[in-house]
């Protein structure tokens, strides 16, 4: 049996193509971990968390709390001083007045930190005071929660005691509810917990390593690749009938394959999550793994009295079981089906259904059992072991973790039995090579088109790669938080009422709004004059000016309206509410570079082997002699890849349009582009609709160029690993360097053509 297992593993793993794919998965995992954890805006860098982790490593818990508290207080005080100085630097009377009021209301704090602020030597972990304050706010929130762990345990027991006291006065015939039973069970589960082994440190490193959804996606992809080469390829060669007729061909041979899938699942889980921990440790820092799990704030509610090391081990073993379960499903489909593409379709359908259950069923729904016992819920081991949740089963609380593990064991047992029985009694021992016949005339070019599409998307697994990157592109859009500020809401309300041609009614509305602001400025100036003359005190003057300052709160947004109004008076343009268009065209919150990077990676992985797949089997000599010939086949390959490029390029536009337009309405689609102030210098006053079509067309051309580069390299080198390396070097590397801060590198790519709408203006 051991020899058979070793043979099955070597049969796949010794292939250079498979080893190259595994190496690429590892590199892609590290890249995605870096990419998805890059700080955006004013988020603190990962190295800041590592520095904090190192600084607090030798402190007691009281010293840690005092240290973080003092740093937070200092950052808050310095932020106050910076805010006052910023208001003074505006050089306006309103700014000076607001600065003085803020300074007087916090005079003690201002005096304490003013001199320290002027020295400029106050940044410890980041390069800006804003980032420093955000970092310390997060850390203070974490350490405050962990420091209050004993209070949390006391509150759990207190809830149970209160429930017991109430039940004394209840009728003996009254029935217990799920809520009362859940409270009692929660108290019992936490009864043995204590804060004895709690040693706080920043949770960023552990959480980014354990909760990486990109790593889970790559784990599932590796199972698709392994099972396809272990089962499907052998079945395509018709070897199942021979294998099953041997002495040990019934259960031992398939049992060896099952064990090989288990070993592969364990190896890949260990490899990918091991790389996560190494990367997280080097970038964000990981503290002592022997401390209690409850030392980290995100896992404080867990009722498992285990260490962090045990938590990581349990998480890894559970993930291995969950990944192995998918492998069994794919194996069962491969054994049962006579079509080589069926396991991939069933696997994708299974994952899609479970993703829908996990994502869209609310946690409070009566169907939440389907959510919490779905496949993706099983895969989220950080929630299984790091949080506390009881499921309502017939009115009784059952631990989500226990239910999930029992379900996993049952499914694994059923899966193993199903694979063995299907192999023992199944009669589909080879892949059906015959195509489906239709009662229509046979057209060679149509058949060749379908055949090449099958080779690229199914045999070459391009469909899986396109699907994975489609999810990444979609998540990149929907993770954006388009929340208009109060000022933006004012601007939106005004502009939607003004949109279109300028009318007398709109003129009156704008002049009335301008008069309101002019009156506020006049009143503030009058009060300042009274203070200067000594007729009122300075404090009374500040109090009198406060309501007028409130009137001016939205004046900066009104100035944007004034800009459009003055231009309309000069050249007869129209009003446009432009915020949505500015987001869509990349003038605000430009994510074109990130989308282009994802598309470059997608095309490199999906199409690197398109031109080289025939070379690996020496088929070009035979195909060149056919009626259709090599040129026709190559042409269809270009056509299929081009169509796929068009589809995936349009996805971000579709998702972004939906997400942005739901918050920022985009009307006046036939108005000229020069009506938007940022594009008033554009040479031709195209209608907005045509301008958007031009922007989409330029992105389609740029992605077609990316695809062409990959296909040309594929035709030139004819080795998958070399092709992929060169494609990533030429297409992705400049964008990665640009994303890391070397902005000049974006000009060495197709980014100027892809994102030109965010550059001009």
């Amino acid at each position: 049996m051991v020899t058979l297992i070793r043979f099955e593993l070597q049969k796949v793993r010794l292939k250079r193509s498979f080893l190259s794919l595994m190496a690429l998965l590892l590199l892609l995992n590290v890249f995605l971990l870096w990419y998805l954890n890059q700080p955006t805006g004013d988020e603190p860098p990962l190295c800041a968390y590592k520095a904090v982790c190192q600084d607090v490593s030798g402190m007691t818990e009281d010293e840690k709390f005092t240290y973080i508290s003092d740093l937070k207080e200092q950052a808050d005080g310095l932020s106050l001083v910076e805010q006052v100085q910023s208001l003074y630097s505006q050089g306006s009377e309103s700014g000076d007045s607001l600065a003085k009021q803020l300074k007087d209301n916090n005079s003690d704090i201002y005096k304490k930190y003013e001199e320290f602020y002027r020295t400029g030597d106050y940044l410890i972990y980041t390069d800006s005071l804003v980032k420093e304050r955000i970092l310390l706010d997060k850390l203070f929130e974490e350490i405050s929660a962990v420091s209050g762990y004993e209070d949390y345990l006391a509150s759990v027991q207190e809830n149970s005691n209160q429930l017991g006291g109430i039940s004394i006065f209840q009728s003996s015939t009254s029935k217990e509810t799920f809520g009362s039973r859940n409270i009692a069970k929660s108290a019992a589960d936490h009864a043995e917990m204590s804060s004895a082994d709690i040693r706080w440190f920043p949770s960023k490193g552990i959480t980014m390593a354990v909760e990486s959804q990109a790593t889970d996606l790559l784990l599932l992809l590796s199972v698709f690749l392994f099972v396809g080469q272990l089962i499907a390829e052998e079945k395509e060669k018709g070897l199942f009938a021979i294998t099953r007729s041997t002495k040990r061909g019934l259960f031992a041979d398939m049992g060896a394959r099952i064990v090989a899938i288990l070993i592969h699942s364990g190896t890949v889980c260990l490899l990918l999550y091991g790389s996560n921990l190494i990367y997280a440790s080097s970038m964000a820092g990981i503290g002592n793994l022997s401390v209690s799990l409850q030392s980290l704030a995100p896992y404080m509610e867990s009722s498992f009295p285990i260490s962090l090391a045990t938590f990581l081990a349990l998480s890894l073993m559970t993930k291995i079981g969950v990944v192995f379960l998918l492998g069994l499903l794919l194996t069962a489909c491969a054994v049962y089906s006579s079509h080589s593409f069926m396991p991939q379709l069933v696997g994708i359908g299974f994952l899609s259904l479970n993703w829908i259950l996990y994502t869209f069923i609310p946690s409070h729904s009566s169907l939440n059992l389907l959510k919490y016992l779905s496949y993706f819920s099983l895969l989220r081991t950080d929630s299984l072991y790091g949080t506390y949740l009881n499921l309502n089963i017939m009115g009784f609380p059952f631990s989500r973790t226990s239910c999930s593990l029992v379900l996993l064991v049952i499914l694994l047992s059923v899966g193993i039995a199903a694979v063995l029985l299907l192999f023992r009694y199944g009669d589909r021992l080879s892949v059906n090579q015959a195509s489906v016949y239709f009662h229509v005339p046979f057209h060679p070019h149509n058949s060749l088109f379908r055949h090449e599409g099958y080779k690229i998307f199914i045999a070459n697994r391009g469909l899986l790669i396109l699907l994975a990157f489609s999810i990444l592109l979609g998540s990149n859009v929907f993770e954006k938080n388009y929340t208009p500020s109060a000022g933006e809401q004012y601007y939106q309300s005004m502009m939607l009422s003004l949109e279109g041609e300028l009318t007398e009614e709109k003129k009156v509305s704008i002049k009335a709004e301008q008069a309101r602001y002019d009156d506020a400025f006049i009143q503030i100036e009058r009060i300042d004059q009274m203070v200067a003359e000594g007729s009122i005190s300075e404090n009374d003057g500040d109090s009198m000016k406060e309501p007028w300052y409130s009137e001016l709160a939205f004046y900066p947004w009104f100035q944007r309206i004034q800009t459009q109004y003055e231009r309309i008076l000069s050249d007869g343009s129209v009003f446009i509410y432009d915020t949505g268009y500015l987001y869509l065209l990349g003038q605000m919150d430009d994510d074109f570079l990130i989308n282009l990077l994802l598309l470059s990676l997608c095309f490199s992985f999906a199409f690197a082997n398109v031109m080289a797949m025939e070379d690996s089997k020496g088929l070009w000599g035979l195909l060149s002699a056919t009626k259709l010939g090599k040129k026709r086949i190559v042409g269809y390959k270009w056509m299929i890849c081009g169509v796929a490029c068009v589809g995936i390029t349009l996805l971000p536009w579709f998702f972004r349009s939906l997400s942005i337009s739901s918050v920022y309405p985009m009307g006046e689609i036939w108005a000229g582009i020069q009506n938007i102030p940022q594009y008033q210098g554009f040479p031709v006053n195209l209608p907005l609709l045509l301008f958007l079509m031009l922007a989409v067309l330029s992105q389609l051309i740029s992605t077609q160029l990316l695809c062409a580069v990959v296909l040309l390299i594929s035709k030139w080198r004819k080795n998958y690993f070399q092709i992929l390396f060169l494609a990533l070097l030429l297409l992705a590397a400049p964008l990665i360097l640009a994303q890391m801060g070397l902005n000049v590198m974006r000009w060495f790519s197709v980014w100027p053509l892809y994102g030109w709408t965010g550059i001009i203006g």
Side-chain angles (χ1 to χ4, degrees):
M1 188 68 174
V2 175
T3 305
L4 277 175
I5 295 171
R6 187 185 305 115
F7 171 74
E8 295 296 339
L9 287 170
Q10 292 176 349
K11 188 168 60 177
V12 176
R13 290 188 173 180
L14 292 183
K15 292 183 178 180
R16 282 188 293 179
S17 61
F18 182 79
L19 293 176
S20 300
L21 285 173
M22 290 299 103
L24 288 172
L25 283 180
L26 179 60
L27 293 175
L28 184 59
N29 178 59
V30 176
F31 165 76
L32 289 174
L33 195 64
W34 164 80
Y35 167 73
L36 295 174
N37 288 280
Q38 282 294 293
T40 58
D42 292 323
E43 291 184 3
L46 296 178
C47 59
Y49 294 96
K50 182 178 181 179
V52 174
C53 194
Q54 292 172 343
D55 288 347
V56 303
S57 60
M59 300 181 183
T60 64
E61 295 309 294
D62 291 338
E63 289 173 342
K64 292 176 186 177
F65 186 82
T66 302
Y67 177 70
I68 299 297
S69 300
D70 290 346
L71 287 181
K72 182 184 182 321
E73 180 184 339
Q74 175 179 294
D76 291 341
L78 291 168
S79 296
L80 171 68
V81 177
E82 184 178 63
Q83 186 177 0
V84 171
Q85 296 295 328
S86 177
L87 289 170
Y88 276 132
S89 66
Q90 292 180 3
S92 63
E93 293 184 6
S94 60
D96 292 346
S97 177
L98 288 174
K100 188 176 186 308
Q101 182 179 353
L102 186 63
K103 178 180 176 181
D104 292 342
N105 291 341
N106 303 275
S107 57
D108 293 340
I109 298 176
Y110 188 85
K111 291 177 182 178
K112 181 177 180 180
Y113 292 104
E114 180 185 15
E115 184 176 351
F116 186 34
Y117 176 81
R118 295 186 186 281
T119 65
D121 188 23
Y122 48 77
L123 297 177
I124 303 175
Y125 297 113
T126 64
D127 57 0
S128 75
L129 187 55
V130 175
K131 295 179 182 179
E132 193 91 1
R133 186 177 182 184
I134 292 174
L135 170 69
L136 293 169
D137 283 345
K138 291 181 179 179
L139 297 180
F140 182 75
E141 182 180 356
E142 285 190 8
I143 197 170
S144 297
V146 173
S147 299
Y149 185 65
E150 286 291 347
D151 295 333
Y152 167 74
L153 294 178
S155 68
V156 173
Q157 299 301 325
E158 183 180 353
N159 289 337
S160 179
N161 294 334
Q162 289 177 352
L163 178 67
I166 294 172
S167 64
I168 296 175
F169 301 99
Q170 292 179 342
S171 171
S172 59
T173 60
S174 64
K175 295 183 178 179
E176 289 185 322
T177 63
F178 168 76
S180 61
R181 292 178 179 132
N182 188 39
I183 292 175
K185 185 177 186 303
S186 177
D189 291 340
H190 288 85
E192 302 300 324
M193 304 297 296
S194 70
S195 60
D197 295 325
I198 286 184
R199 303 289 183 271
W200 176 84
F201 61 86
S203 64
K204 182 67 174 179
I206 291 290
T207 54
M208 69 180 284
V210 174
E211 301 176 9
S212 173
Q213 297 183 23
T215 303
D216 291 337
L217 183 63
L218 294 177
L219 280 176
L220 303 180
L221 180 59
S222 74
V223 178
F224 278 92
L225 298 174
F226 185 79
V227 172
Q229 298 209 30
L230 184 68
I231 306 294
E233 288 189 5
E234 188 166 326
K235 194 173 183 181
E236 286 178 358
K237 297 175 183 178
L239 298 178
F240 266 22
I242 299 174
T243 303
R244 200 171 71 172
S245 63
T246 59
K247 181 180 178 181
R248 305 184 65 188
L250 290 179
F251 293 110
D253 182 68
M254 186 53 70
R257 286 182 171 86
I258 292 174
V259 176
I261 295 172
L262 176 60
I263 294 175
H264 170 78
S265 302
T267 303
V268 176
C269 283
L270 185 61
L271 181 67
L272 295 185
Y273 273 98
S275 66
N276 282 9
L277 286 171
I278 293 173
Y279 178 83
S281 177
S282 62
M283 298 300 294
I286 292 179
N288 186 0
L289 297 182
S290 64
V291 301
S292 170
L293 174 61
Q294 290 72 23
S295 299
L296 300 187
Y299 309 133
M300 196 184 74
E301 294 182 1
S302 173
S303 62
F304 292 97
I306 57 177
S307 66
L308 274 171
T310 306
F311 165 72
L312 294 175
L314 288 174
S315 297
L316 181 63
M317 288 188 291
T318 305
K319 284 186 183 290
I320 291 172
V322 177
V323 173
F324 179 45
L325 178 62
L326 178 62
L328 291 176
L329 174 64
L330 298 178
T331 303
C333 293
V335 172
Y336 176 75
S337 175
S338 58
H339 298 282
S340 58
F341 60 84
M342 189 58 66
Q344 297 183 31
L345 293 181
V346 172
I348 293 173
F350 171 76
L351 294 177
S352 300
L353 175 62
N354 279 272
W355 179 78
I356 291 172
L357 294 175
Y358 180 75
T359 304
F360 293 104
I361 295 180
S363 57
H364 57 273
S365 170
S366 58
L367 299 176
N368 62 2
L369 283 178
L370 296 177
K371 175 186 181 74
Y372 290 120
L373 297 179
S374 64
Y375 185 82
F376 282 97
S377 182
L378 294 175
L379 200 58
R380 290 295 306 273
T381 53
D382 55 295
S383 297
L384 281 181
Y385 299 108
T387 59
Y388 184 82
L389 178 66
N390 291 318
L391 302 179
N392 185 355
I393 302 178
M394 301 181 67
F396 289 88
F398 289 89
S399 169
R400 172 196 179 184
T401 306
S402 300
C403 293
S404 299
L405 294 180
V406 170
L407 177 63
L408 179 60
V409 171
I410 293 174
L411 292 177
L412 289 174
S413 302
V414 172
I416 293 172
V419 171
L420 293 175
L421 292 175
L422 286 172
F423 183 67
R424 171 64 180 84
Y425 297 105
D427 56 356
R428 300 173 182 177
L429 302 180
S430 62
V431 173
N432 184 9
Q433 300 293 340
S435 59
V436 179
Y437 290 96
F438 299 93
H439 295 290
V440 294
F442 176 70
H443 298 291
H445 62 279
N446 289 340
S447 176
L448 181 61
F449 185 85
R450 292 196 302 269
H451 179 67
E452 291 300 324
Y454 170 83
K455 286 164 56 181
I456 293 171
F457 295 126
I458 305 300
N460 202 40
R461 299 177 180 86
L463 183 62
L464 288 174
I465 297 172
L466 292 173
L467 179 62
F469 278 93
S470 297
I471 295 173
L472 285 176
L473 287 165
S475 63
N476 182 50
V477 172
F478 288 116
E479 285 177 357
K480 299 283 185 181
N481 185 20
Y482 295 107
T483 304
S485 63
E488 179 61 37
Q489 292 177 22
Y490 163 82
Y491 178 68
Q492 181 181 110
S493 176
M494 286 287 296
M495 287 304 300
L496 290 179
S497 65
L498 294 172
E499 251 188 349
E501 299 286 343
L502 180 63
T503 63
E504 289 299 323
E505 184 181 354
K506 293 177 182 178
K507 285 184 180 180
V508 171
S509 175
I510 294 173
K511 289 179 179 179
E513 195 73 6
Q514 179 66 61
R516 184 169 68 89
Y517 287 118
D518 289 342
D519 183 50
F521 282 117
I522 292 172
Q523 294 299 329
I524 291 174
E525 185 177 355
R526 182 180 62 82
I527 296 170
D528 287 336
Q529 184 66 30
M530 293 170 63
V531 172
E533 294 173 353
S535 57
I536 61 173
S537 67
E538 190 171 342
N539 289 335
D540 291 339
D542 291 339
S543 300
M544 293 171 64
K545 286 189 289 186
E546 282 185 10
W548 298 110
Y549 284 135
S550 299
E551 286 288 321
L552 295 174
F554 298 142
Y555 184 67
W557 282 269
F558 179 73
Q559 289 179 307
R560 290 177 62 184
I561 300 174
Q562 279 284 81
T563 301
Q564 290 204 36
Y565 177 61
E566 292 171 0
R567 190 189 70 253
I568 292 171
L569 291 177
S570 63
D571 57 22
S573 303
V574 297
F575 283 106
I576 294 179
Y577 176 50
D578 55 355
T579 303
Y581 291 111
L582 295 178
Y583 273 112
L584 189 61
L585 295 171
Q587 288 285 340
M588 298 173 65
D589 192 25
D590 182 7
D591 58 355
F592 285 156
L593 182 65
I594 296 175
N595 287 340
L596 182 60
L597 174 57
L598 292 175
L599 290 171
S600 300
L601 292 171
C602 176
F603 298 155
S604 299
F605 282 100
F607 302 140
N609 202 37
V610 167
M611 295 297 181
M613 62 175 69
E614 281 80 8
D615 283 288
S616 62
K617 299 181 180 179
L619 295 178
W620 277 128
L622 177 62
L623 294 173
S624 299
T626 61
K627 181 180 178 180
L628 294 176
K630 181 177 180 179
K631 290 184 179 179
R632 186 72 65 84
I633 295 172
V634 170
Y636 280 130
K637 289 179 181 289
W638 280 80
M639 187 185 304
I640 292 166
C641 294
V643 171
C645 287
V646 170
I648 198 168
T649 302
L650 292 177
L651 276 180
W653 275 96
F654 176 74
F655 291 144
R656 292 176 77 243
S657 299
L658 288 179
S659 185
I660 293 171
S661 62
S662 64
V663 180
Y664 307 103
M666 290 182 283
E668 295 296 320
I669 197 68
W670 291 108
I673 185 63
Q674 293 176 354
N675 291 302
I676 298 178
Q678 284 79 353
Y679 295 101
Q680 61 184 1
F682 193 72
V684 183
N685 193 23
L686 294 174
L688 275 168
L689 179 60
L690 292 180
F691 187 83
L692 290 173
M693 292 174 64
L694 180 63
V696 173
L697 178 62
S698 66
Q699 292 198 359
L700 290 174
I701 293 173
S702 62
T703 54
Q704 292 292 331
L705 290 175
L706 294 177
C707 179
V709 170
V710 175
L711 294 179
L712 288 173
I713 297 174
S714 178
K715 186 178 180 181
W716 170 43
R717 297 308 302 165
K718 301 178 177 60
N719 178 278
Y720 180 79
F721 189 75
Q722 293 181 11
I723 298 165
L724 192 58
F725 175 78
L726 290 174
L728 294 176
L729 182 64
L730 292 175
L731 304 180
L735 300 175
I736 294 174
L737 292 174
Q739 185 69 20
M740 295 175 69
L742 195 59
N743 291 328
V744 70
M745 293 303 298
R746 67 180 65 188
W747 298 97
F748 293 90
S749 67
V750 297
W751 174 77
L753 178 61
Y754 185 88
W756 63 272
T757 57
I759 304 172
I760 63 173

